[in-house]
């Protein structure tokens, strides 16, 4: 029997994953909604397969993720996200052989293959992830140039506002805010809201008195 822990806060993705995983009758499926909940489940199921959307979870950075993976050395990880930076992928993949990677917009076959590889205790790196890891960018590093709208959204994210709240304040759709979020993260070379907070503090968009932990 294999235990899978779905660490993804998108309901549609979680539902789809549960449907795929139930193709094996012996599978046990658990859900984690934050890092603390994930760690509690891993204490009970140390040999679990964790299917993680890193960009939607509350890991501060990749180092924190790697610390958790080292703590639970029998756990296998499948990183399933919309987008991840090449720097993040290189660091995680080169640090541990227990991480597989596939993106949400890849083919259903690729996602099935990643889950099957995890079931067999093997590693799976999708074609898109492989191309990102092997890419060699020689461009000079330049400061990220965000639009006024993007700067306002970064500030809102850093202040802890949800995508729904930001959309309501700006009279925009959730889809529009998610698109801005993806563009911002790509420009800044970041993956999570925690990293957006660090950027906002450095850029002076917020000060420490506005940010509450």
């Amino acid at each position: 029997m294999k235990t899978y822990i779905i660490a993804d806060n998108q309901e549609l993705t979680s539902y789809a994953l549960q449907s795929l995983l139930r193709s094996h009758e012996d599978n046990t499926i658990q859900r984690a909604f934050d890092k603390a909940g994930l760690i509690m489940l891993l204490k009970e199921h140390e040999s679990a397969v964790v299917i993680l959307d890193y960009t939607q979870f509350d890991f501060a950075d990749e180092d924190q993720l790697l610390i958790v993976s080292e703590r639970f050395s029998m756990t296998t990880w499948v990183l399933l996200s919309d987008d991840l930076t090449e720097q993040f992928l290189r660091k995680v993949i080169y640090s541990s052989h227990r991480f597989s990677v596939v993106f949400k917009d890849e083919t259903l076959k690729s996602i099935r293959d990643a889950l099957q590889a995890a079931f067999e205790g093997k590693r799976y790196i999708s074609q898109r992830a492989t191309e990102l890891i092997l890419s060699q960018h020689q461009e000079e590093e330049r400061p990220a140039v965000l639009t006024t709208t993007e700067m306002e959204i970064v500030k809102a994210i850093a202040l802890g506002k949800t995508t729904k709240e930001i959309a309501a304040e700006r009279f925009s759709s959730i889809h529009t805010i998610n698109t801005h979020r993806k563009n911002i993260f790509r420009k800044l070379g970041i993956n999570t809201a925690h990293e957006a907070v660090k950027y906002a503090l450095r850029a002076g968009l917020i000060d420490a008195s506005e940010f509450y932990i």
Side-chain angles (χ1 to χ4, degrees):
M1 183 174 69
K2 182 72 71 175
T3 298
Y4 290 87
I5 300 173
I6 299 175
D8 189 315
N9 291 321
Q10 293 180 331
E11 289 297 325
L12 184 59
T13 302
S14 177
Y15 178 81
L17 286 171
Q18 290 181 62
S19 298
L20 288 172
L21 294 172
R22 287 197 182 103
S23 61
H24 294 279
E25 293 184 2
D26 290 337
N27 288 343
T28 298
I29 303 171
Q30 303 280 350
R31 283 196 69 186
F33 296 92
D34 55 25
K35 185 184 65 177
L38 175 60
I39 290 173
M40 287 187 67
L41 286 172
L42 287 175
K43 288 178 179 178
E44 299 177 22
H45 310 283
E46 293 190 2
S47 299
V49 174
V50 177
I51 306 169
L52 171 69
D53 185 343
Y54 175 79
T55 63
Q56 297 290 331
F57 238 57
D58 60 340
F59 284 100
D61 52 35
E62 61 267 29
D63 289 328
Q64 198 173 80
L65 172 60
L66 289 171
I67 288 169
V68 173
S69 74
E70 288 302 313
R71 177 178 175 184
F72 300 98
S73 59
M74 297 174 64
T75 302
T76 302
W77 301 77
V78 178
L79 299 178
L80 178 64
S81 296
D82 287 317
D83 202 13
L84 292 166
T85 64
E86 61 194 75
Q87 295 90 343
F88 169 86
L89 286 174
R90 287 197 186 106
K91 184 165 185 177
V92 172
I93 294 302
Y94 295 159
S95 295
S96 174
H97 68 282
R98 290 180 291 110
F99 283 94
S100 294
V101 183
V102 64
F103 290 98
K104 289 183 178 180
D105 61 356
E106 295 194 77
T107 64
L108 182 58
K109 181 180 183 304
S110 293
I111 295 172
R112 286 183 184 274
D113 287 348
L115 296 177
Q116 182 62 35
F119 180 81
E120 297 172 0
K122 299 176 182 177
R123 182 185 224 182
Y124 180 89
I125 308 295
S126 73
Q127 180 65 34
R128 178 180 161 194
T130 300
E131 290 171 357
L132 271 173
I133 293 166
L134 296 178
S135 64
Q136 296 293 330
H137 288 302
Q138 301 298 332
E139 299 175 5
E140 293 182 11
E141 291 199 13
R142 300 173 184 173
V145 179
L146 301 183
T147 65
T148 301
T149 295
E150 288 170 342
M151 296 284 267
E152 292 170 353
I153 291 173
V154 168
K155 180 175 181 178
I157 292 171
L159 292 174
K161 294 180 181 179
T162 65
T163 299
K164 184 177 180 180
E165 288 171 338
I166 297 170
E169 288 180 358
R170 301 188 65 82
F171 303 100
S172 298
S173 69
I174 291 175
H175 173 74
T176 297
I177 301 303
N178 277 329
T179 299
H180 280 305
R181 178 185 171 113
K182 288 180 184 179
N183 288 336
I184 291 164
F185 283 20
R186 175 181 53 78
K187 285 183 179 181
L188 298 180
I190 61 177
N191 296 285
T192 68
H194 286 273
E195 292 171 296
V197 171
K198 293 177 184 177
Y199 171 82
L201 286 167
R202 290 196 305 268
L205 297 177
I206 61 173
D207 60 49
S209 65
E210 292 181 275
F211 180 61
Y212 301 92
I213 297 175

